[in-house]
Amino acid sequence: MDTRSNDNTRPKARGNALSNQLLAALGPESRSRIDPHLQPVTLKLGAVVCEAGGLLKHAYFPQGSVLSLLTVLENGSAIETANIGREGAFGLFAAMYSRASFNRCIVQLEGRMVRCPIELLQLEFKNSEHVRNLFVSYSETLLSQVQQTVACNTVHTTEERMCRWLLMMHDRAEGELLTYTHEFLAHILGANRKSVTLAAQSVQAAGLISYNRGTIQVLNRPGLEKASCECYAIVKDRFDEFLKPPETAVQDTVKRQSNNE
């Protein structure tokens, strides 16, 4: 854990801050075949990586950036159902089963990212039991985030949802500042701009964040966690477990739940 002297603390990223945990977990043989084909990608905030229904030629592995998966409705509106940081990748379903994207994927936080041709990952998935287990475990974890986000968007307040989202971004950001407008937050959260503005004002008045001209800084991390709904902790715990062997992950989860009862 990152032990800072003020309240603005966040969980420290495991390993190299610029690495991708999923890539690192592939194993030396798979990495020796994949690494020569990794290509750095630089995209701006809000850039579209792939549209819903689009064909994927690459999988994308954030190394400091964050990608947002949006469900797009017939009238053109969209809402975030999951986000992907340095713990995972966008495009693994394409590597395992099909090459079509179910969601629109956009850049939610600028930063480093690499991409890998889908064909290479398909071969590794086909030939390596370790890679199959890893990809399936991550995909199940991402699905659990989608399910938790659906519940969160349905029953929790805009303020709670905003706190959850800011915590997730704060975990992954390389710096302390987050650059988002109220309009962007409303789009991501599936809320109207007025409710997002009121929520941001409330959180700022409580001394949890500062907000100035589209720049957000977390001032009181523990307070922000307390103001968030339970969804942040649930999703974070699940992602902390996905790299472990299935039996170990289940045992740790059951033990933690028992301690909380």
Side-chain angles (χ1 to χ4, degrees), residues 107-208:
V107 176
Q108 189 185 87
L109 182 71
E110 292 182 29
R112 294 172 176 82
M113 178 168 53
V114 293
R115 69 181 189 181
C116 177
I118 288 292
E119 290 87 350
L120 285 176
L121 297 175
Q122 287 175 330
L123 286 174
E124 293 301 321
F125 182 77
K126 178 181 178 181
N127 298 323
S128 169
E129 182 179 3
H130 172 70
V131 172
R132 284 196 296 274
N133 289 338
L134 186 65
F135 282 12
V136 170
S137 177
Y138 174 73
S139 297
E140 288 179 338
T141 302
L142 189 63
L143 178 58
S144 73
Q145 187 191 59
V146 172
Q147 293 172 325
Q148 195 70 40
T149 302
V150 170
C152 186
N153 288 342
T154 302
V155 301
H156 293 144
T157 67
T158 301
E159 184 174 326
E160 290 172 325
R161 291 162 54 200
M162 176 183 290
C163 291
R164 167 186 61 83
W165 190 85
L166 289 175
L167 286 166
M168 295 177 75
M169 293 305 101
H170 191 240
D171 287 347
R172 291 153 167 169
E174 294 176 347
E176 294 295 340
L177 300 179
L178 302 173
T179 307
Y180 297 110
T181 63
H182 286 179
E183 183 177 359
F184 186 86
L185 287 174
H187 176 63
I188 289 294
L189 295 174
N192 63 65
R193 184 170 177 175
K194 182 178 180 180
S195 65
V196 167
T197 298
L198 292 174
Q201 289 173 346
S202 176
V203 176
Q204 181 168 242
L208 306 182

